[in-house]
Amino acid sequence: MTIKTLQDLLNDGVEGRGVLVRSDLNVPLDNGVITDPGRIIASAPTIKALAEAGAKVVVTAHLGRPKGEPDPKFSLAPVAARLAEELGRNVQLAGDVVGYDALSRSEGLTDGDVMLLENVRFDPRETSKDEAERTKLAKALVELVGDDGAFVSDGFGVVHRKQASVYDVAKLLPHYAGNLVAAETEVLKKLTEEPARPYAVVLGGSKVSDKLAVIEALAPKVDTLVIGGGMCFTFLAAQGLSVGTSLLQDEMIETCKGLLDKYADVIHLPVDIVVADKFAADAESKTVAANEIPDGWMGLDIGPDSAARFAALLTEAKTVFWNGPMGVFEFEKFAAGTRGVAEAIATATSKGAFTVVGGGDSAAAVRTLGLPDEGFSHISTGGGASLEYLEGKELPGLAVLEVNTAED
């Protein structure tokens, strides 16, 4: 089974045709200002190729988690402006998802025009569990590009969701994988199909429960599994250590004990911690051994000895996958651990390793800390989707492209 690509669509010819593109433009905002345009930059090549080939391009995407109704703070207006800069051409922003404005604007599109629909999650049918409701929205999206239209799936960050603009619309139009989805899939195949060894995985973030499935899936397959971030404290507690007021999931302690027993030679935990007297950028802080976290203090970063130990493992790896920061990198005082790990991975890259930053907060950390994208083989746009792929789960947004293509 294969998936048709953007190039297949371009070879078939798109001049004068409507093409619906599902992009992932879910970028972080601070008071309406985009703080990391990475996903917009990654999405632009597919849209640009279609526009330059004469397609009438209709882009659909989401931003944040609006509750199925319009919410000005989740408007795609700043995204439309930034996308226009990236494309070097005007991007119309429809005032709705599939309403009067979107429909009237779509009818006025000429060859090479690009229109971005307003946040698709303003429509409750996008994320509905009811297939009939999702199909109604999918049909309305298809109406915007016409009967001879095509669908390009290019939002890798959402292919693990069975949503109207990701899954259901692919059943109604000839469908293709955009450049981004194709590239992300190839990268993840490299991580799952005979990766070069030593193979190291770095996991951070806040909760063990969020990463449990990927830990269980990868621990038997990798040579090194480094654990930092907030989730490390539940593992430290599983070793019988006191973690002060650090983030802790009591209900996961027994699970972590089991993982540590089973994969003692693979899992690596911090040996020292940067603790703070409160969760704040200006908190009083100090570095202590992992077994000496004082009562009333919380761990907000891994310590320098931990960063050095992790770096020694990572710089010698031939394959590295990283998902999740080592600490609260948004606060400069607690960013050193994340920086140290990121720089070690970049060193591995320079020595020929295949390194992947698994999207989400990890990608944001790379850019926030001013590290060059070129220091890594690939920076993913899909945190959750990447993890589910590595867990071995079927991703609906990819499966629908494969299954229907086989029937075409």
Side-chain angles (χ1 to χ4, degrees):
M1 256 187 290
T2 58
I3 294 177
K4 290 183 180 178
T5 66
L6 175 67
Q7 193 57 53
D8 292 324
L9 175 57
L10 294 174
N11 290 344
D12 290 342
V14 294
E15 187 172 1
R17 292 177 66 187
V19 178
L20 179 68
V21 181
R22 186 17 162 132
S23 296
D24 181 5
L25 305 176
N26 187 27
V27 293
L29 295 177
D30 183 8
N31 291 321
V33 177
I34 297 168
T35 57
D36 177 10
R39 285 176 169 164
I40 297 173
I41 294 168
S43 299
T46 289
I47 298 168
K48 190 170 187 176
L50 288 165
E52 289 181 348
K56 302 171 184 177
V57 186
V58 177
V59 182
T60 182
H62 77 280
L63 180 65
R65 296 183 178 180
K67 299 178 179 179
E69 59 186 27
D71 184 337
K73 72 180 180 184
F74 293 117
S75 171
L76 286 172
V79 173
R82 185 65 177 82
L83 180 60
E85 286 180 33
E86 203 61 35
L87 296 175
R89 65 178 65 218
N90 181 55
V91 174
Q92 298 183 48
L93 176 66
D96 47 32
V97 181
V98 289
Y100 176 81
D101 193 53
L103 193 57
S104 60
R105 284 177 182 271
S106 70
E107 291 172 349
L109 293 177
T110 59
D111 297 1
D113 282 353
V114 178
M115 175 176 69
L116 176 62
L117 303 176
E118 188 51 283
N119 193 332
V120 70
R121 290 189 183 172
F122 284 178
D123 192 314
R125 297 173 295 181
E126 165 70 357
T127 57
S128 174
K129 302 296 183 188
D130 185 334
E131 183 178 355
E133 286 299 305
R134 295 198 314 269
T135 299
K136 286 179 183 176
L137 175 57
K139 287 181 176 177
L141 288 167
V142 169
E143 189 177 353
L144 300 178
V145 294
D147 295 336
D148 67 340
F151 172 63
V152 175
S153 177
D154 205 39
F156 184 77
V158 289
V159 293
H160 58 317
R161 307 294 189 195
K162 188 178 274 191
Q163 296 177 347
S165 68
V166 178
Y167 177 82
D168 300 272
V169 76
K171 299 193 288 185
L172 302 176
L173 286 172
H175 43 263
Y176 306 82
N179 288 338
L180 183 57
V181 162
E184 295 271 16
T185 305
E186 284 305 308
V187 164
L188 291 171
K189 282 182 179 177
K190 283 188 179 183
L191 293 176
T192 54
E193 298 174 5
E194 299 183 11
R197 293 187 178 277
Y199 179 9
V201 169
V202 183
L203 296 178
S206 57
K207 295 182 178 180
V208 176
S209 53
D210 291 343
K211 303 285 171 70
L212 178 61
V214 78
I215 292 171
E216 292 177 332
L218 292 179
K221 301 174 183 176
V222 304
D223 302 291
T224 298
L225 178 55
V226 167
I227 292 177
M231 61 190 287
C232 79
F233 298 107
T234 303
F235 278 93
L236 293 175
Q239 292 182 321
L241 304 181
S242 172
V243 297
T245 57
S246 306
L247 191 62
L248 178 65
Q249 286 186 284
D250 288 305
E251 73 281 7
M252 298 299 297
I253 289 177
E254 287 304 314
T255 299
C256 291
K257 280 183 183 177
L259 290 168
L260 289 170
D261 288 343
K262 191 171 184 179
Y263 302 110
D265 58 334
V266 173
I267 294 176
H268 298 265
L269 297 174
V271 294
D272 60 343
I273 301 291
V274 180
V275 296
D277 62 346
K278 60 182 177 180
F279 187 86
D282 62 350
E284 183 182 344
S285 65
K286 58 185 177 181
T287 300
V288 299
N291 62 352
E292 295 179 357
I293 297 175
D295 292 342
W297 289 68
M298 64 179 68
L300 294 186
D301 195 12
I302 61 172
D305 288 349
S306 302
R309 288 181 181 222
F310 293 168
L313 293 166
L314 297 173
T315 53
E316 297 306 313
K318 297 298 183 187
T319 303
V320 183
F321 174 74
W322 171 34
N323 182 278
M326 296 294 97
V328 187
F329 70 91
E330 297 90 345
F331 297 159
E332 186 177 349
K333 189 179 283 191
F334 306 107
T338 300
R339 179 183 292 279
V341 164
E343 289 176 344
I345 296 172
T347 297
T349 311
S350 70
K351 294 165 66 174
F354 180 67
T355 62
V356 178
V357 180
D361 287 342
S362 307
V366 167
R367 295 173 180 127
T368 299
L369 298 174
L371 302 172
D373 287 10
E374 298 74 30
F376 309 90
S377 304
H378 181 74
I379 298 180
S380 177
T381 57
S386 298
L387 291 178
E388 291 196 14
Y389 189 103
L390 294 177
E391 289 166 23
K393 290 183 179 179
E394 180 178 89
L395 306 186
L398 293 183
V400 71
L401 300 181
E402 288 187 335
V403 171
N404 285 10
T405 298
E407 294 172 354
D408 287 347

